[in-house]
């Protein structure tokens, strides 16, 4: 009787092994699907909000700067850059924040007959800034302005 | 044994298919929220309309009159309730707190009151423009506030 029982058990070892394989495979499939579903749900919270990241096409920033340059006294300010004109340009930069959700700032690099000066607002919150460059040339002036945003300009 | 395996395979197929359907529903089930783009497009249109060659295209005192028609803006949507609010304010560039002219709004003013409590989209931007309209300051900053409801369509 004992011997018979051992034989039956020995014969079932293959079946048990195969069943275990399928059970584990099923658990793996469920786990992979579960992780995928959780990942889809959690890793995608903001992706439904479509933002315009490309600040090179920031119409209002370009409009502000070109409007500013259409006034000759402002061009003179830029050509004879001193503390007052820097303050004026900083005021201009303050009127045009970059980004919607995370407000960034524009900086302006001014090149006049070989001399170069960068003007920015020095807001110290930029850990991983993104940069977008826009170039404008007027008479001897070359303006290069760019946006810096906290992590992203969206 | 083969019968059991067939049933098992169908069960696995159903689980995998169900999982894929769930993921697709989660990913595509909500509509895309394009209100930031809408707000930007609206503000660009307004700025383009009221600023020409660096200057205000209209005198500040006359800007409010037929503003939407002049700027070719239409707030009509498929909803009966107006889904947009646009406010314009004008400040002196050299004294940014000082208003140089009375601001005005278009669209649904109730949206401004609902702003904190609900998930409306709001965006405020400004731009520099020259004003050649006599007594008022020459350099002004135009501030635009856009609020868009459209919660059903976007969120």
């Amino acid at each position: 009787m004992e011997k018979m029982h051992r034989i039956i058990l020995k014969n079932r070892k293959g079946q048990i092994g195969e069943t275990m394989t399928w059970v584990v495979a099923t658990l793996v499939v469920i786990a992979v699907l579960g992780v995928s579903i959780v990942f889809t749900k959690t890793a995608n919270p903001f992706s439904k909000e479509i933002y315009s990241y490309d600040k090179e096409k920031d119409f209002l920033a370009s409009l502000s700067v070109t409007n500013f340059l259409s006034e000759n006294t402002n061009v003179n300010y830029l050509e004879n850059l001193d503390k007052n004109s820097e303050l004026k340009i900083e005021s201009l930069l303050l009127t045009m924040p970059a980004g919607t959700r995370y407000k960034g700032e524009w900086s302006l690099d001014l090149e006049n007959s070989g001399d170069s000066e960068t003007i920015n607002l020095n807001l110290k919150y930029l850990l991983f800034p993104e940069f977008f460059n826009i170039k404008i040339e007027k008479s001897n002036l070359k303006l290069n302005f760019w946006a810096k945003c906290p992590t992203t300009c969206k | 044994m083969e019968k059991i395996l067939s049933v098992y395979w169908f069960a696995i197929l159903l689980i995998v298919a169900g999982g894929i359907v769930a993921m697709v529903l989660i990913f595509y089930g909500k509509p895309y929220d394009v209100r930031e783009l809408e707000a930007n497009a609206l503000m660009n249109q307004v700025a383009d309309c009221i600023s020409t060659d660096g200057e205000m295209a209209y005198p500040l005192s006359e800007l409010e009159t037929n503003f939407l028609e002049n700027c070719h803006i239409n707030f009509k949507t498929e909803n009966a309730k107006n889904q947009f609010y646009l406010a314009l304010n004008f400040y002196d560039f050299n004294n940014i707190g000082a208003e140089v002219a009375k601001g005005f709004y278009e669209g649904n003013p109730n949206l401004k009151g609902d702003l904190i409590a609900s998930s409306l989209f709001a965006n405020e931007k400004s731009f520099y423009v020259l004003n050649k309209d006599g007594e008022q300051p020459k350099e002004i900053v135009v501030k635009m506030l856009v609020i868009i409801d459209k919660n059903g369509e976007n969120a």
Side-chain angles (χ1 to χ4, degrees), chain A residues 36-154:
Chain A
S36 304
I37 289 168
V38 170
F39 182 77
T40 312
K41 208 171 171 66
T42 55
N44 192 31
F46 296 118
S47 65
K48 292 291 176 188
E49 294 173 1
I50 311 294
Y51 280 80
S52 50
Y53 291 87
D54 189 358
K55 297 299 156 202
E56 286 172 35
K57 297 181 184 68
D58 192 322
F59 178 74
L60 290 180
S62 303
L63 184 77
S64 274
V65 174
T66 47
N67 284 356
F68 186 77
L69 292 178
S70 66
E71 174 67 10
N72 284 331
T73 50
N74 289 335
V75 178
N76 291 339
Y77 266 128
L78 292 176
E79 282 175 337
N80 310 302
L81 200 62
D82 59 12
K83 195 68 195 165
N84 282 339
S85 48
E86 275 188 34
L87 283 174
K88 182 147 190 173
I89 295 160
E90 283 179 15
S91 302
L92 174 72
L93 297 177
L94 272 173
T95 65
M96 37 189 247
T100 300
R101 183 185 282 274
Y102 309 109
K103 299 287 185 198
E105 64 175 50
W106 290 92
S107 297
L108 193 141
D109 185 62
L110 183 67
E111 205 180 306
N112 187 14
S113 310
D115 295 330
S116 176
E117 179 117 18
T118 300
I119 302 161
N120 56 42
L121 300 171
N122 293 318
L123 302 176
K124 306 282 186 199
Y125 67 134
L126 310 165
L127 280 176
F128 305 104
E130 274 190 340
F131 293 94
F132 297 94
N133 284 309
I134 299 175
K135 286 182 180 171
I136 291 176
E137 292 186 27
K138 179 156 181 167
S139 61
N140 292 328
L141 285 172
K142 276 185 190 173
L143 280 182
N144 183 16
F145 60 103
W146 64 90
K148 288 192 288 184
C149 302
T151 68
T152 173
C153 268
K154 84 177 191 179

Side-chain angles (χ1 to χ4, degrees), chain B residues 16-112:
Chain B
V16 171
I20 291 168
V21 167
M23 278 185 275
V24 170
L25 281 178
I26 290 166
F27 198 83
Y28 292 107
K30 273 179 78 181
Y32 285 100
D33 190 344
V34 294
R35 287 178 292 182
E36 197 263 352
L37 299 182
E38 276 185 279
N40 273 349
L42 178 58
M43 285 191 277
N44 290 351
Q45 173 73 12
V46 170
D48 191 36
C49 167
I50 64 179
S51 161
T52 309
D53 297 330
E55 298 173 11
M56 287 292 291
Y58 304 90
L60 282 175
S61 51
E62 294 169 23
L63 191 62
E64 189 177 352
T65 316
N66 295 326
F67 175 75
L68 293 181
E69 288 80 7
N70 290 341
C71 290
H72 309 291
I73 295 168
N74 186 350
F75 282 163
K76 282 178 189 157
T77 60
E78 62 277 15
N79 286 323
K81 183 185 163 196
N82 196 331
Q83 306 284 303
F84 295 93
Y85 172 80
L86 165 72
L88 291 180
N89 287 291
F90 310 94
Y91 296 95
D92 183 356
F93 176 71
N94 296 304
N95 181 14
I96 211 71
E99 269 197 282
V100 298
K102 193 172 168 283
F104 66 92
Y105 71 85
E106 297 286 349
N108 184 354
N110 295 329
L111 295 181
K112 201 176 179 189

